[in-house]
Amino acid sequence: MIENDLSTSVPTLIAHIKSIEGYTTTYRKAWLEKQNVVEDVYDNWERSYHDLLRLLQVMQKFLPGMVVEKETLLMPPQGGQPVESFIMFHRLFWSFRPCIDGFQYCKPIIHVNGTWLYSKYRVTLFVAVAKDGNNKILLIAFAIVESESVRAWQFFLRNLKRHGTPQHGLCLILDRHQLIKSVYSRHDSGWTTQNSVHVFCRHIA
């Protein structure tokens, strides 16, 4: 069931087990077994992050013009680990060439926002979108960061301006998150009052 639909809920699994075996398992047991199946099919979280660099290299090879900017952290050795330090994933920005090229045919308005990803490490996804002449949404750029911090927003907006939306005269739509506003005002963000304007909104429909 999980291989066919990863979103299968734990209560659904419990009901299925009861219908087949006539036995009601605990929520914890069903949840743990679901995690085991997910690992069997998709591998575990640590391995996924370990393979991320190779995956990006393959994507860049077969998707010409794909932009990738990444940041890592050099972590000191921890208890029970070898003496050597190790490199840990920190932030990732990416955009696809068709999205970058397509933006020049969209309205000069960009909406940026962030949302939590409910994974083991609770990272945050940033997205920049635009609307074309038919009011269809175009995804311009993405980033996975540690949280909605000043440095994370700076990383995203700087790369968005550099790679995805270098044009002048753009309108940047933000929510009322003070962190984004403060990053926009920084001279090293790439966004200035000379090349853009920013406005607030609740959500883009």
Side-chain angles (χ1 to χ4, degrees), residues 22 88 99 141 168:
M88 187 176 78
C99 300
H168 280 32

Side-chain angles (χ1 to χ4, degrees), residues 110-174:
I110 304 162
H111 183 260
V112 297
N113 211 337
T115 186
W116 298 284
L117 296 180
Y118 296 98
S119 64
K120 180 177 179 179
Y121 297 107
R122 295 301 176 98
V123 292
T124 299
L125 173 70
F126 289 162
V127 180
V129 303
K131 294 177 77 175
D132 64 17
N134 293 320
N135 287 326
K136 303 299 183 183
I137 299 295
L138 174 72
L139 296 163
I140 305 173
F142 312 82
I144 295 176
V145 296
E146 71 282 9
S147 64
E148 289 201 54
S149 65
V150 169
R151 291 187 180 277
W153 274 114
Q154 186 178 5
F155 170 78
F156 180 60
L157 290 180
R158 183 177 65 246
N159 284 303
L160 175 63
K161 189 63 179 172
R162 178 182 174 194
H163 299 294
T165 58
Q167 302 90 336
H168 280 32
L170 300 179
C171 175
L172 192 64
I173 300 179
L174 319 171

Side-chain angles (χ1 to χ4, degrees), residues 168-201:
H168 280 32
L170 300 179
C171 175
L172 192 64
I173 300 179
L174 319 171
D175 62 17
R176 293 188 176 272
H177 203 301
Q178 291 302 311
L179 289 179
I180 312 177
K181 182 180 177 182
S182 66
V183 170
Y184 174 87
S185 303
R186 295 172 65 109
H187 70 280
D188 56 350
S189 72
W191 298 86
T192 68
T193 53
Q194 285 72 44
N195 66 23
S196 61
V197 64
H198 80 83
V199 297
F200 293 125
C201 81

Side-chain angles (χ1 to χ4, degrees), residues 8-196:
T8 303
S9 68
V10 174
T12 300
L13 295 173
I14 294 173
H16 179 71
I17 292 169
K18 184 176 182 179
S19 68
I20 299 298
E21 303 293 338
Y23 166 73
T24 302
T25 187
T26 65
Y27 188 97
R28 176 173 171 74
K29 284 182 179 179
W31 183 87
L32 287 172
E33 193 55 36
K34 178 180 178 180
Q35 305 314 306
N36 290 334
V37 172
V38 169
E39 277 200 18
D40 287 343
V41 176
Y42 296 100
D43 221 332
N44 60 38
W45 293 103
E46 290 76 14
R47 176 57 56 182
S48 295
Y49 278 101
H50 182 270
D51 292 341
L52 183 59
L53 180 59
R54 194 182 331 164
L55 172 64
L56 292 171
Q57 290 171 340
V58 171
M59 292 177 70
Q60 286 180 291
K61 179 179 179 180
F62 290 98
L63 300 172
M66 179 183 177
V67 175
V68 173
E69 293 286 349
K70 55 188 176 296
E71 290 184 358
T72 56
L73 295 175
L74 185 63
M75 302 299 293
Q78 299 176 359
Q81 293 183 340
V83 179
E84 298 84 8
S85 300
F86 63 95
I87 297 174
M88 187 176 78
F89 171 87
H90 191 39
R91 300 185 185 115
L92 173 67
F93 171 94
W94 76 96
S95 183
F96 302 105
R97 176 52 56 185
C99 300
I100 296 171
D101 293 342
F103 176 66
Q104 62 184 311
Y105 303 105
C106 292
K107 301 170 184 177
I109 301 170
I110 304 162
H111 183 260
V112 297
N113 211 337
T115 186
W116 298 284
L117 296 180
Y118 296 98
S119 64
K120 180 177 179 179
Y121 297 107
R122 295 301 176 98
V123 292
T124 299
L125 173 70
F126 289 162
V127 180
V129 303
K131 294 177 77 175
D132 64 17
N134 293 320
N135 287 326
K136 303 299 183 183
I137 299 295
L138 174 72
L139 296 163
I140 305 173
F142 312 82
I144 295 176
V145 296
E146 71 282 9
S147 64
E148 289 201 54
S149 65
V150 169
R151 291 187 180 277
W153 274 114
Q154 186 178 5
F155 170 78
F156 180 60
L157 290 180
R158 183 177 65 246
N159 284 303
L160 175 63
K161 189 63 179 172
R162 178 182 174 194
H163 299 294
T165 58
Q167 302 90 336
H168 280 32
L170 300 179
C171 175
L172 192 64
I173 300 179
L174 319 171
D175 62 17
R176 293 188 176 272
H177 203 301
Q178 291 302 311
L179 289 179
I180 312 177
K181 182 180 177 182
S182 66
V183 170
Y184 174 87
S185 303
R186 295 172 65 109
H187 70 280
D188 56 350
S189 72
W191 298 86
T192 68
T193 53
Q194 285 72 44
N195 66 23
S196 61

